Amino acid sequence: MPKRSGAYRVPFAVSELSFDEAVELAADTGKISGDAGPLLETVVDMLDELERPDEHYDCLQVAGTNGKTSTTRFAAAILRGEGLRCALYTSPQLVRYPERMEIDGRVVSDAAFAHGVSVAVEAGRRVNATRAAAGDRAYTITPFDLLTVASLVIFAEAKVDVAVLEVGMGGRWDATSATDPVAVAITGIGLDHMRILGDTLAEIAAEKAAVIKPGRIVVLGEGTHEPSVQSVMDERCRACDVEPLIVEHRTIAVPHALGADVEFCCPTVRATYTVRMPKPTYQPQNAACAIMLTEAYLGRTLDEGALNASLTACPTPGRFDIVRTEPLVLVDACHNPQSCEQFVAALNGIDPDMSRRPTLLIAALADKDVAGIVRILVPAFPRIVVTVTASDRALPQDELGDLVAAELARQGRGASDIVGSYGSVREALEALTRASMPVVAAGTITLAGEVAGLLR
């Protein structure tokens, strides 16, 4: 239960930025600059300078490759349903930067966002001024550092009881790890950010397992059961003298139409919960992880009626998300082979006939396992349109088109199944709309976000 409370005030004067100025600082979030790489000490020192806003509420942290955003959202929704004032921090945003920060289910205002970034900027300036006076090298403060500190300040000023924080990348050096979470969850592990986190599942798992520390509640999701990953998790738990809670669920009924309910049961150490919610078949394992995390944090059983209501109402932007109905446009943020397999399995549960499916609009980021993404997505659709997002990490459309053509050839299909290639998401969407083609957009969250931003 919440044990930290009290009013928080920023301990120094701040020059307030405009919303546009704050967004400009956030616009390259995700890049890591500087020769030293990511430094957790940067955020620790900024929070210390701010007299620890994160110590005015409890923090729960969710790490992993697949399912962590949904798990974070589900956990926050459950805690709100249990009567707590709950904050949510996720990344990246689907359309606008303030979407990363929510309080009681509502995105923070533009004014609150700009204020939080202003405070973080001043904290960073003061920290680096102190370092310069001591003859130390100034920190490289990444935009993700700024946004994390900004969110923690906003949550403290809003007097939340608890904040659920999604790890941005990895875990060991992630800015959210500058807090001291009372409970952590690790969802699925996949090959992601390989240039930074490592080339194997075990190496990536080790970076994420670093959030496990002595004295913390630890929940291991179903996606950590792969043998090399489980070995890393078990070793880390033993080293920290932690007995992890292992997530399980059993699906009772699957949805057979878009928007229909999936039903599942989730056993915990205190109860077995039965849940129905209008989500695709890959979401029960994420909801089950959130159930176990929140129950363990609260130290009591959950109200099953409130649980069902909370999960039913919980939005999952960019995850099996219908952003237009006529013609249909569905977006999904699957961005590695594992999440793509889950997405395709959900489609198969609704209609296994590939020939009746919409056109696939695909884009990818160069630092992902693009060949693996193509291998899973392309066989699941009758027609393919290739495009490139605005991200500077985007794989050029010609390179992606070559991978798609090679996969089609491997299946014995012709390159004619590629019905378009466009240099921007806007161009691709406009062409598909003119042709009245139903569309599924998948392959990277940046594609899901750009499509949603153009249509909402």
Side-chain angles (χ1 to χ4, degrees):
M1 287 297 293
K3 59 181 181 296
R4 311 179 192 190
S5 61
Y8 172 77
R9 296 185 65 179
V10 175
F12 44 73
V14 173
S15 177
E16 297 287 345
L17 299 167
S18 70
F19 175 72
D20 288 342
E21 289 169 332
V23 168
E24 185 176 354
L25 287 170
D28 62 344
T29 294
K31 296 179 184 177
I32 295 175
S33 56
D35 296 334
L39 289 174
L40 189 58
E41 291 87 344
T42 305
V43 183
V44 170
D45 286 358
M46 291 169 70
L47 292 175
D48 286 345
E49 186 72 24
L50 285 159
E51 298 179 1
R52 281 284 167 178
D54 54 307
E55 292 185 355
H56 288 258
Y57 47 86
D58 283 339
C59 292
L60 311 185
Q61 188 183 32
V62 180
T65 305
N66 301 313
K68 61 180 176 174
T69 302
S70 294
T71 299
T72 304
R73 287 188 167 277
F74 288 145
I78 293 168
L79 292 172
R80 288 199 310 276
E82 292 288 335
L84 301 186
R85 183 164 171 78
C86 185
L88 171 72
Y89 180 57
T90 60
S91 64
Q93 75 286 349
L94 196 62
V95 180
R96 303 180 75 245
Y97 281 95
E99 294 171 10
R100 297 177 178 225
M101 310 168 192
E102 294 185 14
I103 297 172
D104 277 349
R106 295 186 176 183
V107 175
V108 301
S109 69
D110 289 359
F113 176 85
H115 168 69
V117 173
S118 302
V119 173
V121 168
E122 177 60 18
R125 187 197 68 77
R126 292 168 69 94
V127 165
N128 274 335
T130 299
R131 291 180 63 80
D136 296 326
R137 189 173 61 175
Y139 286 135
T140 297
I141 301 173
T142 70
F144 190 73
D145 294 340
L146 285 178
L147 289 176
T148 301
V149 172
S151 71
L152 298 172
V153 168
I154 291 169
F155 300 160
E157 291 182 330
K159 299 180 181 178
V160 303
D161 297 313
V162 57
V164 189
L165 311 176
E166 178 190 355
V167 169
M169 187 194 317
R172 187 186 309 277
W173 307 115
D174 190 75
T176 62
S177 291
T179 66
D180 184 17
V182 298
V184 300
I186 302 176
T187 63
I189 304 295
L191 295 175
D192 203 18
H193 298 293
M194 291 180 286
R195 289 186 299 191
I196 297 169
L197 300 181
D199 295 326
T200 68
L201 286 177
E203 289 175 330
I204 293 171
E207 293 301 308
K208 297 178 188 295
V211 301
I212 299 171
K213 293 183 179 178
R216 291 181 178 172
I217 297 167
V218 175
V219 176
L220 298 181
E222 294 178 47
T224 62
H225 296 345
E226 193 275 340
S228 67
V229 171
Q230 186 169 343
S231 176
V232 170
M233 297 296 163
D234 290 346
E235 181 179 347
R236 178 68 178 178
C237 287
R238 283 193 298 270
C240 294
D241 195 24
V242 168
E243 187 66 34
L245 299 169
I246 308 300
V247 177
E248 298 178 22
H249 88 280
R250 179 173 63 86
T251 300
I252 300 170
V254 299
H256 294 291
L258 290 174
D261 286 346
V262 62
E263 184 176 5
F264 67 97
C265 66
C266 170
T268 70
V269 296
R270 293 179 175 85
T272 296
Y273 302 97
T274 299
V275 175
R276 291 181 64 91
M277 59 183 192
K279 308 292 187 219
T281 53
Y282 60 77
Q283 288 291 21
Q285 67 175 334
N286 300 322
C289 189
I291 289 169
M292 188 160 283
L293 176 65
T294 53
E295 185 198 71
Y297 165 65
L298 293 171
R300 58 172 171 80
T301 56
L302 305 173
D303 180 298
E304 193 162 307
L307 173 65
N308 272 269
S310 297
L311 293 178
T312 292
C314 181
T316 51
R319 275 74 183 173
F320 223 82
D321 189 2
I322 298 173
V323 296
R324 187 175 69 190
T325 56
E326 291 294 335
L328 173 73
V329 177
L330 182 148
V331 301
D332 195 274
C334 56
H335 58 279
N336 56 43
Q338 294 88 348
S339 58
C340 290
E341 286 174 348
Q342 293 177 337
F343 175 61
V344 170
L347 291 175
N348 289 338
I350 294 171
D351 186 351
D353 188 344
M354 179 269 279
S355 67
R356 292 199 291 259
R357 289 183 186 154
T359 297
L360 172 66
L361 176 63
I362 187 171
L365 300 183
D367 60 351
K368 306 292 184 177
D369 181 2
V370 181
I373 292 169
V374 168
R375 186 177 65 251
I376 302 301
L377 289 181
V378 167
F381 292 90
R383 296 167 301 279
I384 317 295
V385 170
V386 175
T387 191
V388 60
T389 68
S391 170
D392 59 4
R393 296 158 55 206
L395 187 71
Q397 72 196 81
D398 292 343
E399 293 183 38
L400 180 57
D402 290 343
L403 289 171
V404 170
E407 178 58 31
L408 289 171
R410 194 180 68 81
Q411 298 170 44
R413 295 166 60 184
S416 60
D417 284 349
I418 303 176
V419 296
S421 180
Y422 298 92
S424 73
V425 175
R426 180 183 292 276
E427 290 177 66
L429 201 55
E430 288 175 349
L432 289 162
T433 299
R434 286 195 299 270
S436 298
M437 277 191 182
V439 177
V440 169
T444 170
I445 193 171
T446 60
L447 174 62
E450 287 189 36
V451 171
L454 288 167
L455 295 182
R456 284 179 172 162

